[in-house]
Amino acid sequence: MDAAMSTTTRTHEKAGASTHPAIEQAGKLVNFFDERIRASNWLKRNLRKVFPDHWSFLLGEIAMWSLLLVILSGIFLTFWFKPSMAHVTYEGAYVPLRGLVVSEAYASTLNLSFEVRGGLLMRQVHHWSTLVFIAAMAAHMLRHLFTGSFRKPRELNWLVGLSLLVLGITNGFFGYSLPDDLLSGTGLRIVEGGILAVPVVGTYLSYFIFGGEFPGEDIISRFYVFHILLVPGVILALLALHLVLLWYQKHTHWGGPGRSEKNVVGYPFFPMYMTKAGGFMFIVFGFIIVMAATIQINPLWLWGPYDPASVSAGTQPDWYIGFLDGALRIMPAWKIDVFGSELALSVLIPAAVLPGLIVTVLALYPWIERKITGDTREHHVLDRPRNVPVRSGLIVGFIVCYVLLWIAGGNDLFASVLNIPVNWVSRFLQLSVILGPPLAFWITKRICLGLQRRDRDRVLHGRESGVIVVSPEGEFTERHTALSAAEAYTLTAHEHHVPFDPGPPTDKHGIPNPAYKKNLRRARISRFYFADVIQKPTTAELSAAHERHQEIQG
């Protein structure tokens, strides 16, 4: 008995010695919360949540991590930046501007650049991370458009993502305007012209925003509040909502063996995804910081302070605003008289109508496509862009239009480099904006249809092997290698798209169908979307192709 007690004691001592006190305390803490809020099941379920592993899903992460770097660098800059348009005499380290009367905002930006340790690097990190954030957001949204991941049940998240992109562009412009240099002041002057072009209320809006006659005395302090407080708060709230919806609705994934509308194939959130995401965060940080340290951006000491009587030449805004500047440059000088007042369409259309139209169409597109296709099902498997050629063509046409407008924002630079009149460049771009998008749509659609035909041929006949076989009759044929079952399944996993049938105009008793005209319009649009789509091979076609393949092999 004593021996048994001694053995038991030694066992407990050994078990106690093998347990670290920190582990014991952590276990007690976990047990404390688990006994009260029953969190273990929730944690287990969510830590094992599956995330797909594909490079295209990293675009959203690039946007998220660059936004984090925007916030961190922006906090650093707020300690030294003074959002005031009060006039001071600059006596800082940059000798060429000493003795010049400038605003406090401009002077504090110069001090940040030349006198604060790491200030110029942080300014450039802030600027570059903003550009990367907006670029990654734009690419992320395009990925959703091309693959159809905006469809039910993700329409709300699509609107949240679009709002994040619009707010990012808006806040980027606010920050771009804060230094009060000649470049940013010229951009503000252009915006003021667009505001004044708004009928009836334009003048009142301008006085309200600028606090009086342009440039006023309050615009920098007002933009500063929006830039560091209001807009970032809304962005963070929308980002949280975006992640919550993403977590609740589960991820989309690419089609393939074992992938369906009812599951997600990938890696668990913990530890695989968290480890990869943490490493990717440092990669994004490092890439942006290297750019900031080696590529100069916005050297505002070269432009000088803003002077309403001066306009900078040979400079353009940040890329995400460039398309609006380009639209202003190539818009014809149209104007009309409305009740005795002149309405400047040459400013109103590119400055207000164009961005409003783009945002409205993008926001409504999930419902537009659902109305055209009549598809109200939930979708978790992504479309390959080639399998929806009209949608892909429309997106590419939009991209071409955007790029042409962006190029138009530098028409003077192109004219200078090419040594041709700037009017020639503008005329060429005007024609290109009209003809380029339809041409891009047609080319993209034909490419998608060609890729569909190639996929169909590969499924039916296999992959070309390069081996030529001569039959006893003297016929030369190429031996094909059959695709694997997984590859064939992947190529045929997409949906079978059929144009909408409007039905007969009357029923069997001759009574007119009241919805026939509406259905006929929908059928025409549906034929535009799906009439040319190359359909998947049928079972009979696959069987015949397999028999033919066996004959050739034999």
Side-chain angles (χ1 to χ4, degrees), residues 289-313:
I289 291 173
V290 167
M291 284 199 304
T294 57
I295 307 174
Q296 180 173 265
I297 188 170
N298 195 21
L300 51 81
W301 52 89
L302 299 180
W303 322 136
Y306 178 63
D307 180 0
S310 302
V311 176
S312 56

Side-chain angles (χ1 to χ4, degrees), residues 215-290:
E217 297 292 334
D218 301 325
I219 189 63
I220 299 298
S221 58
R222 291 180 178 181
F223 275 12
Y224 185 71
V225 173
F226 278 91
H227 182 68
I228 72 164
L229 185 61
L230 182 60
V231 179
V234 177
I235 287 177
L236 291 176
L238 287 176
L239 178 61
L241 176 60
H242 176 75
L243 296 176
V244 168
L245 289 174
L246 177 67
W247 195 275
Y248 175 75
Q249 293 172 344
K250 79 178 183 180
H251 280 276
T252 55
H253 56 178
W254 294 98
R259 302 165 186 259
S260 69
E261 302 286 1
K262 298 180 179 180
N263 68 346
V264 179
V265 178
Y267 294 103
F269 175 71
F270 180 85
M272 295 295 295
Y273 178 77
M274 286 186 63
T275 304
K276 294 173 67 175
F280 190 63
M281 177 188 71
F282 289 109
I283 291 174
V284 173
F285 280 14
F287 183 79
I288 294 175
I289 291 173
V290 167

Side-chain angles (χ1 to χ4, degrees), residues 54 142-149 151 253-256 381-393 395 448-456 458-459 483 486-495 497 530 533 536:
H54 191 271
L142 287 175
R143 198 270 294 180
H144 283 291
L145 272 176
F146 274 114
T147 61
S149 60
R151 294 172 295 177
H253 56 178
W254 294 98
V381 177
L382 299 174
D383 288 330
R384 298 175 76 198
R386 68 184 64 181
N387 293 328
V388 193
V390 171
R391 182 206 292 158
S392 299
I395 298 170
C448 290
L449 293 176
L451 292 173
Q452 284 185 339
R453 291 189 182 95
R454 190 190 70 171
D455 289 346
R456 177 185 171 88
R458 290 176 63 192
V459 171
L483 300 180
E487 188 174 1
Y489 180 87
T490 300
L491 294 179
T492 57
H494 58 278
E495 297 181 17
H497 296 292
F530 301 127
V533 171
K536 297 185 292 185

